[in-house]
Amino acid sequence: MTKTIFEKTQSEQHAYSLPAEAPEFQNYYPPAHLLREEPLQLPEVSELDLLRHFTSLSKKNMGIDTNFYPLGSCTMKLNPRINEVSAALPGFTRTHPLAPEETVQGNLELIDELIKTLCHICGMTAGTLTPNAGAQGEFVGIRMIASYHKHNKDTGRTEILIPDNAHGTNPATAKMAGFTTVSIRTNAQGDMDLDDLRAHVSEKTAGLMLTNPNTLGLFSPVITEIARIVHEHGGLLYYDGANLNPMLNIVRPGDMGFDVMHLNLHKTFSTPHGGGGPGSGPVLCNDKLKIFLPTPRIEKSNDAYSITWNDPNSIGHISTFHGNFAIYLRAYLYTKLHGHFGLRRIAEMAVLNANYLKAKLSDIFTIPFPQHCMHEFVVQADNYLNEGIRALDFAKRLLDYGIHAPTVYFPLIIKECMLIEPTESESKATLDTFIQTLHTIVHEIRTNPDIVKEAPHTLPVTRLDEVRANKTPILNALKADSSLQFSPSI
Ligand SMILES: Cc1ncc(COP(=O)(O)O)c(C=O)c1O
């Protein structure tokens, strides 16, 4: 295990400190009244050891910048550096959300233009960029559906229909927004079972939440029929736009029949991806729902932009000020740099890469749905169960080969599944290395299964007791129980 910086302390060793009394460094120090009276007990290490400690920690992180990261359902695509540089321009970073409108016309124009571009791509008419993540976007969209029915005095609509392959945030959102969830079965082709939908849709249906392609990576050829059934019963359709990447400028959710949707800018539009943030989950809708959009809203009249902070029909504020401005600034640049046909090409390449992998892995894994996939696909590692090997073991062994594991055991309805999403950013050489690595692991299972069962061997933390790690997580390394297994060599 990596020693903590405190364990590395050697007395009389010091890194460099700025001379506190020198006037040119005063700006780097907090004012005296904010400082502790007693000096802080900091570890004593040389500057070089300090540098090595932090550099070594930084290298332990596996990310899209360092490794292939085919984590299905959590798109890990290139974040173009030009967008980072542009988002850091002082003209943007130095604006304040409470600055007078007339001084931030450029920022407001950017917000307005991005909403219009996203609406154009998705076939919607209005939107907001304020939610900070996809899940928060879902909450906004479902609250807007609730407001719509309330506005129409249609108060008996208490249920949201959700397919059994849905991402966990969908039912969580519906519950948080005060609805009961009703699960709709997936059929043998991996699509929504229309008979099950017909059996559950009713005058109690407020709406249906759906992602298309679904979480199995399959596009529903009956989507317009699904929309017709739900609308016929007075419900609305919510599009979970987490899987928009393969649809870009090919098919529009609005044309499929959806009324409201979110986008995960940190997926499709290449902005940095974090654990729930910093993200941006814009919500777009059609004319039926636009009066319920959150505030603040940007409006344009006589060539000037203004901000509306309150509207009695609105569901209200959902985030501080305008949300994560620096994130959607990056997405704005992404749409501008690629243009209409560039975005379409992104979708096509994402689909091509996924289908290439799927075809090349079909000799070692069960492929539950043989039809072409969209940007991601599921395979099953169930034919190795007799050797005591599960999907989890493949995931762990891949880490030893410097590849981030695909999503495992999601969607929940597929046994021993791995959900693989290469994205359009990856080269054929990288995809071939991934294919070759999985074949190598299969060879290891035949010749030396323990090396797979006990993986990973090369990471700071080796095989964990997954159940214990989930039930009693230790989130503070200093309190870590010594019974956890750490690789002594690192
Ligand atoms: C299908 C689907 N829906 C919703 C979400 C939630 O999005 P976010 O992580 O931005 O909250 C995800 C995230 O992975 C997803 O894959």
Side-chain angles (χ1 to χ4, degrees):
M1 182 195 176
T2 313
K3 281 183 166 182
T4 71
I5 195 84
F6 283 93
E7 291 166 328
K8 288 183 178 166
T9 288
Q10 294 168 25
S11 57
E12 305 305 320
Q13 294 286 320
H14 299 286
Y16 184 74
S17 297
L18 297 176
E21 61 287 351
E24 62 270 38
F25 294 123
Q26 286 307 308
N27 285 346
Y28 295 97
Y29 286 92
H33 71 275
L34 294 180
L35 295 177
R36 291 174 186 81
E37 284 176 9
E38 291 301 313
L40 197 60
Q41 290 306 306
L42 291 172
E44 296 184 3
V45 284
S46 72
E47 186 165 335
L48 183 57
D49 286 338
L50 186 66
L51 186 71
R52 283 188 183 142
H53 175 72
F54 286 114
T55 306
S56 143
L57 287 184
S58 75
K59 288 201 297 197
K60 295 197 192 313
N61 203 7
M62 210 178 232
I64 175 73
D65 290 351
T66 53
N67 302 76
F68 180 44
Y69 208 125
L71 193 67
S73 196
C74 298
T75 314
M76 291 289 165
K77 61 161 77 174
L78 169 74
N79 295 169
R81 289 307 181 265
I82 180 78
N83 297 351
E84 302 301 312
V85 174
S86 311
L89 289 173
F92 291 120
T93 56
R94 293 205 186 140
T95 47
H96 191 278
L98 289 178
E101 285 165 6
E102 60 277 16
T103 65
V104 288
Q105 288 291 305
N107 296 32
L108 300 182
E109 182 177 356
L110 189 146
I111 293 176
D112 187 56
E113 216 182 295
L114 181 57
I115 292 174
K116 289 195 171 113
T117 303
L118 297 177
C119 282
H120 179 73
I121 292 170
C122 296
M124 296 287 167
T125 53
T128 176
L129 304 182
T130 53
N132 289 322
Q136 206 185 2
E138 289 174 28
F139 182 72
V140 167
I142 297 299
R143 290 293 308 149
M144 287 167 64
I145 288 180
S147 296
Y148 171 86
H149 292 306
K150 194 169 164 204
H151 188 81
N152 292 340
K153 308 211 171 14
D154 196 357
T155 49
R157 297 191 177 271
T158 53
E159 294 177 351
I160 296 283
L161 312 181
I162 301 177
D164 57 5
N165 62 43
H167 192 263
T169 50
N170 293 183
T173 292
K175 286 262 180 205
M176 277 185 70
F179 290 100
T180 309
T181 58
V182 178
S183 180
I184 309 294
R185 246 190 345 251
T186 300
N187 64 22
Q189 291 72 45
D191 202 353
M192 179 173 278
D193 184 327
L194 287 186
D195 289 335
D196 204 38
L197 174 64
R198 286 192 195 97
H200 287 99
V201 67
S202 71
E203 70 288 349
K204 285 203 223 155
T205 303
L208 168 81
M209 288 182 96
L210 196 67
T211 177
N212 191 26
N214 65 13
T215 57
L216 303 165
L218 302 173
F219 183 82
S220 172
V222 294
I223 186 62
T224 48
E225 178 60 7
I226 292 172
R228 196 190 61 71
I229 294 170
V230 175
H231 282 149
E232 197 176 81
H233 286 80
L236 295 179
L237 271 91
Y238 182 89
Y239 182 76
D240 173 343
N243 292 328
L244 189 83
N245 209 38
M247 305 283 99
L248 281 174
N249 287 338
I250 297 176
V251 183
R252 308 191 312 167
D255 299 337
M256 294 181 216
F258 288 93
D259 300 291
V260 53
M261 62 176 290
H262 80 262
L263 288 167
N264 307 60
L265 294 188
H266 44 285
K267 296 185 177 206
T268 312
F269 294 93
S270 83
T271 65
H273 204 158
S280 178
V283 169
L284 312 173
C285 64
N286 60 21
D287 286 341
K288 284 184 218 166
L289 290 161
K290 68 180 184 194
I291 59 167
F292 307 112
L293 279 166
T295 49
R297 297 196 200 126
I298 313 293
E299 267 144 41
K300 187 181 181 187
S301 71
N302 300 330
D303 272 350
Y305 292 93
S306 58
I307 307 171
T308 304
W309 289 98
N310 292 303
D311 176 341
N313 289 312
S314 164
I315 64 159
H317 300 316
I318 190 70
S319 58
T320 47
F321 302 109
H322 299 281
N324 272 327
F325 182 82
I327 292 294
Y328 46 78
L329 172 53
R330 290 167 169 91
Y332 173 86
L333 290 164
Y334 190 71
T335 61
K336 290 286 167 205
L337 290 174
H338 287 286
H340 181 89
F341 291 105
L343 290 177
R344 188 185 167 106
R345 179 112 180 109
I346 283 167
E348 290 166 351
M349 291 306 294
V351 172
L352 181 64
N353 277 358
N355 279 287
Y356 178 70
L357 281 187
K358 184 177 177 185
K360 293 283 184 184
L361 295 177
S362 60
D363 57 340
I364 52 171
F365 293 118
T366 307
I367 305 286
F369 307 107
Q371 68 267 45
H372 279 150
C373 64
M374 294 290 123
H375 61 309
E376 60 187 353
F377 60 99
V378 282
V379 298
Q380 290 175 272
D382 57 344
N383 42 351
Y384 301 98
L385 287 173
N386 288 344
E387 279 110 324
I389 300 288
R390 307 184 56 208
L392 183 74
D393 302 305
F394 276 95
K396 297 286 184 193
R397 186 63 177 144
L398 276 170
L399 301 173
D400 282 334
Y401 286 101
I403 294 176
H404 194 282
T407 296
V408 287
Y409 304 109
F410 173 77
L412 304 175
I413 55 172
I414 307 291
K415 187 177 166 192
E416 291 305 323
C417 87
M418 293 197 269
L419 179 60
I420 302 173
E421 180 179 7
T423 80
E424 71 284 357
S425 313
E426 300 294 344
S427 66
K428 180 167 176 295
T430 302
L431 301 186
D432 286 338
T433 305
F434 179 57
I435 295 161
Q436 182 53 51
T437 307
L438 284 166
H439 280 84
T440 304
I441 296 173
V442 170
H443 179 71
E444 288 173 344
I445 293 169
R446 307 277 183 245
T447 52
N448 181 11
D450 285 348
I451 201 166
V452 181
K453 285 182 197 165
E454 288 159 19
H457 304 274
T458 58
L459 300 188
V461 178
T462 54
R463 186 66 72 107
L464 290 174
D465 175 343
E466 299 279 334
V467 176
R468 212 174 126 214
N470 276 298
K471 288 196 166 168
T472 50
I474 300 166
L475 303 174
N476 181 343
L478 294 176
K479 289 192 187 149
D481 185 325
S482 58
S483 64
L484 286 176
Q485 292 172 316
F486 291 107
S487 162
S489 59
I490 298 179

